[in-house]
Structures are given as C-alpha cells and as structure tokens.
Amino acid sequence: LWSRTASRLSAHGGARRHLTVGRCLTAKVPPPRKPRERVEIPGLEMVTYGERMHYVPGLAKPAPQHWERDYKDPRYYKSPPAHEMRLYKDKPCYMFNQRTSALEGVRQAAWLTKTQVIPGLPAQLLSLAENPENQIPDQDERVQNAIKHARFWDTTEDRPRKEKYSNTLLLNLLHLCATLQCSHPALGRRMLAENYSLATTWKRGEDLLQIRGQNGLLLNSTDPLPQMSGKQEVADTADHVLDAFYPVSPTIDLQKVHVYKEEVNHTGFRDDYPYPHAHTLYFLESADPRCKLRPEQFRTKMIMFTFGNALARAHKLYGTRPQRLLDRPVTVQSVGTNGRIFQFMVFQLNTTDLSGDDGIKNQMWLEEDVELYDFAKVRPLIKKKQVKIPAGLAGYKPEAFSKFLALYLHGAV
C-alpha cells in the first residue's frame, strides 16, 4: 500500500518518500547560496560607519578593502596572472611529467620520441645472464628468499601494502645483483640516485615539448653503456614508418603551459658529478599513491623518462643543436615493476633531429609483462573445501630475474 501511494505521488509530481532508508542517508546537500549582487548608483552611495572606525547602528557595513603589506610574507603570496609573468610566451609548450597518463600509450610515446619499437630484448644482452660465471651462487633460492622477505617477513601487518613490498623487493634484487662486485669490479663504479629532477626540451614538428619531474631510482655509472645496434642497423631505421593515430592529437593528455623556459636542459646532477652517465632507471608502479597509472600508461612513462635522460646527456655531449646522426649513440635502460610483474626496456638514442618523421629513428627494445612469480599468499585460497592456491610463494619463474640481472650486468662484463 505504501509503495503504491509513493509511486502515485511521484507520478503526479509529488514528493517521494523513502520509507526503508533513514533520513540522514537520503538528505541532500543544500545548494550554495548565491552572493547578492551589489548595485552601485552614482550619487547614491551608501553611508557606512567605515570612517568612524566602529560599529554604528543604522549605518551600512563598509565593503572590505584590500590591504597591501609593506613586507613579503610567503604564506600570503599571490602569483600574478600568467600573461604578466616574465617567462610568458604566446607559443604553448607541452610538458610530460611523472603523473601524465597518455591516452595512446606506447604508440604515442614512440611518435613523440621518433622511435622504432622492437619487441623483446636483444639476444646479446640476454646471453649475459646465461653464462654461469655471471650468475649468483644459489641464485634461485636467494631470489625466492628476497621475494618472501618483501611479501611475508618485512611487515608487522597481516598483509603488506603494495607500495611497501614492491619497493622492498626492488631493493632486495638490486642488493643481490651487487654481490657480484667481487667477480666484476666494474660494478663498483656505479651509484644509485633517488629523487633527482630531470628537464629536457626538444621540438617535434611545430610543437615544443619538455620532460620535467622526478621519475624514481636511477643507477649512474662512470662509463657509458655500449650501443646495441651497429651502423648498418641504425641506417636501416630510416625506412621505418612511425604509427599514426589520427584523429587523436599526438600531444593529447600532455600539460599545455605558456610560462616556461626555452632550451632548458638539465640531467639533475652537477657537471662535476663523478657518475655522469645514466645506466638504468627503476620505476615502481605504486610509487605515487595519488596517481595510479594503467600498465600501458606506466610503460609510456618509462619510455618518456628513459628518452629524457638519454636526450639530456646527448645535449651535454653534442650541444643543443639537432644532430642528424650521433657519433656515438646514447643507451639507457629502464626496469618497471609492481612487485610481481616486470617491464624491461633498452633505449638507444641515435639522433637528436626529432622535428620531422623522415631520416634516422631512435630504437627501443621492450619486453612487456614478465612475471617473477604467480602467487604469494599469506593464507591459502580455499574454495569448496579444496585448496586452490597454497600459502606461501608459488609459481616462481627464474627467467624474470635472469633478465633483471642481464640489464644490471650490461656494461660491466
């Protein structure tokens, strides 16, 4: 009866009552009050008590006046309008930062960086970890212990958060790789850097592009990485045609700004830094809890910042003037993980002439979605009184760490 009455009221324009829900759950937030419009008529100014400096009944309240301080207080600083700033320019600049989520993913990054994408890692790189002399004693057992330490042992909670165990696992694997320094002394000429800021600029067609921001953990080296492709393979990239995604703009989802510095180029380190060459960048998918990227956009972030480090180094070596073909290509690697799945990439910068689509292209080898293990359960997964997934580590895959180790040893063997 009550439901029929409520439906009839709603059908005839009446208020519908929620009989089974409390009023506190169905109450609506009142709309914000609209400020009264002040009408100023010349010759009919309101008489206020502003000059008397105290409240007087019957007189209107004076309008508040802006007070200018005679000193600088950063807490109350107000920036001027953008068009009045010293660095304002009419031509926009498109910026890529650590929170950019590119719509087209890897294809968009390949177009912005003028890069040929090659699936899989180079064979000469994978062969480094296959050599028994380059492997860690009891490698599989120690890697599994590193996973168990990150997922089970390094926490006082029932289940560690992804932000914590992914970072712990990455540091554990790096520590394992560093134990080979006794047999490979070149590994001692490296240094890890964290929270460094990168800035680099280039032109793509008529658009001005910049990469700025902090991107994660960087492994620097005193020696540059060797190039992966020979001169003939680099020359063959001129025949490669970049993928187009018309009608989507290549600069979609990039931050459009008018206040910027032109020709900005900085590696994040001083010129006298003893480890000037970027070796490998390490990215965590859950590094920023306020910005969660999907796997395709996460790989895009890896590509753009790896390219940015290579381009910033090339500008230091060869100047900011575009070079059609670099005398010695700049190679930078990157590894991304969410604590279970790894992304591996090797980027070779062959040219800094990125304005047109023709000519020499850069090269990138990308290995996607490499699983280190299947499950790491604190409690077993039981369905219909059957144990589907046992507690502990299950489905360990040693191939993933072999690729991780190969990228770490590259340049030291």
Side-chain angles (χ1 to χ4, degrees), residues 36 38-40 45-51 53 59-67:
R36 295 179 59 183
R38 293 180 176 270
V39 180
E40 296 183 1
E45 290 79 7
M46 299 180 65
V47 180
T48 65
Y49 55 83
E51 296 181 355
M53 304 296 291
L59 299 183
K61 180 181 179 180
Q65 298 180 356
H66 181 68
W67 174 58

Side-chain angles (χ1 to χ4, degrees), residues 89-94 206-209 256-258 260:
K89 299 172 183 62
D90 294 332
K91 182 179 180 180
C93 176
Y94 298 93
E206 299 296 331
D207 298 327
L208 183 65
L209 302 168
K256 183 179 179 180
V257 297
H258 287 270
Y260 59 91

Side-chain angles (χ1 to χ4, degrees), residues 380-400:
L381 179 62
I382 302 175
K383 288 186 177 180
K384 296 182 180 180
K385 298 182 180 181
Q386 293 183 358
V387 178
K388 298 296 183 180
I389 302 174
L393 181 64
Y396 168 69
K397 301 176 182 179
E399 300 83 8

